[in-house]
Amino acid sequence: AGGGRMIDRLRKWYYNAAGFNKLGLMRDDTLHEDDDVKEALKRLPEHLYNERVFRIKRALDLSLKHQILPKDQWVKYEEDHHYLEPYLKEVIRERHEREAWNKK
């Protein structure tokens, strides 16, 4: 049990060290937009997509100004949910299925 807590502390430390949360971004906001991610983004419900666009625009604005959000507005490790992950997994599964079908 002690090892699990240590790994969790390391994950939290790395999450904060990465710094994207200080700009109000979530982990899924920082994914490289390859074809799979682009397709997953198309499948997001409108409100999730709009929230993502807002976070990214705000982060770009802060970055240009060389600023970060006040600490009480940082995205906390516990609050960062992987909103894109279910859609991305589905897209990847479908792509693998298509690739397997095309090999036949």
Side-chain angles (χ1 to χ4, degrees), residues 60-76:
L60 287 170
D61 183 55
L62 288 165
S63 182
L64 286 170
K65 295 175 180 175
H66 301 282
Q67 296 176 348
I68 60 172
L69 290 171
K71 192 166 185 169
D72 64 329
Q73 294 180 34
W74 293 3
V75 177
K76 293 169 189 59

Side-chain angles (χ1 to χ4, degrees), residues 38-67:
K38 287 177 184 176
E39 180 60 33
L41 288 171
K42 290 178 187 175
R43 298 178 184 196
L44 274 179
E46 187 176 2
H47 75 281
L48 289 177
Y49 182 79
N50 290 340
E51 289 169 4
R52 172 189 167 89
V53 169
F54 171 79
R55 287 190 303 270
I56 291 172
K57 285 183 176 184
R58 178 179 58 186
L60 287 170
D61 183 55
L62 288 165
S63 182
L64 286 170
K65 295 175 180 175
H66 301 282
Q67 296 176 348

